[in-house]
Amino acid sequence: MILRPATPEDAPALATLGRKSFCAAFEHLYKPEDLAAFLEQAYAENAVAAEIADDCHIHRLADDGERLLGYVKLRDPSGYAGYSDAANPIALGQLYTQPDLTGQGIGAALMDWAMAEARERGHDAVQLSVWSENFGAQRFYQRYGFAKIADIDFWVGNHRDDEFLYELRL
């Protein structure tokens, strides 16, 4: 497995993996029109390409030389900064792996990279949101020392999800 930064050429594969991972975990929760609106906003190829080109987003990809295995996205500054007294938080926006590869250490390798990157950039906290009923993801983040600091909303089209805002102080 190779960890590397994203390039503009990665936008189609990142958009596809984002859609595929999100749908594998959450598609059953939403009306088709809400899901379609969200996927177009978050995982359209042009939206992903714009994030790759934007200095506020940092993508790290895991691949095996043949296909994209997973990725993590950091966002600086964090859009959740107002929920905390951390001086310089960064947000972990997405941590996705191919649905058929969950539990094989790809997410852990990407998370380890993200924590090291946040420290190297001088951040004092990492923040992320997690669905209130995604217990597996909550356990994963808790193993890294993340703890809930707030209840927040997450919108998928016109559907509001109850989310937990987690934070890890570095």
Side-chain angles (χ1 to χ4, degrees):
M1 178 174 55
I2 301 161
L3 296 183
R4 62 174 180 81
T7 66
E9 294 76 27
D10 293 311
L14 275 173
T16 298
L17 178 55
R19 284 175 178 262
K20 190 174 172 182
S21 294
F22 188 87
C23 287
F26 306 116
E27 181 174 26
H28 66 283
L29 299 172
Y30 307 113
K31 294 178 185 173
E33 59 272 17
D34 288 327
L35 181 63
F38 175 77
L39 294 175
E40 185 59 29
Q41 172 199 359
Y43 300 114
E45 223 175 278
N46 62 341
V48 173
E51 285 185 348
I52 292 170
D54 180 1
D55 290 339
C56 293
H57 295 91
I58 307 136
H59 292 82
R60 184 62 47 160
L61 283 54
D63 73 40
D64 63 2
E66 294 182 24
R67 74 172 178 153
L68 182 61
L69 306 175
Y71 73 96
V72 64
K73 178 176 74 176
L74 297 173
R75 194 172 43 243
D76 181 18
S78 172
Y80 306 118
Y83 291 94
S84 169
D85 63 357
N88 186 23
I90 192 169
L92 192 152
Q94 293 158 356
L95 176 63
Y96 288 159
T97 62
Q98 292 285 355
D100 62 322
L101 299 177
T102 301
Q104 296 188 21
I106 298 163
L110 290 165
M111 181 62 99
D112 291 344
W113 174 87
M115 296 300 99
E117 185 71 9
R119 287 182 178 96
E120 185 176 311
R121 289 174 177 259
H123 295 282
D124 61 344
V126 177
Q127 300 172 326
L128 60 88
S129 72
V130 62
W131 182 42
S132 62
E133 295 184 37
N134 190 344
F135 305 115
Q138 291 173 34
R139 283 189 300 273
F140 176 83
Y141 296 128
Q142 289 165 0
R143 283 195 301 268
Y144 280 86
F146 282 87
K148 179 183 167 189
I149 62 167
D151 293 310
I152 60 173
D153 296 337
F154 184 83
W155 289 90
V156 175
N158 292 314
H159 181 102
R160 184 191 64 79
D161 283 333
D162 294 324
E163 292 266 318
F164 296 153
L165 180 60
Y166 274 26
E167 182 176 80
L168 171 66
R169 291 298 180 106
L170 301 175

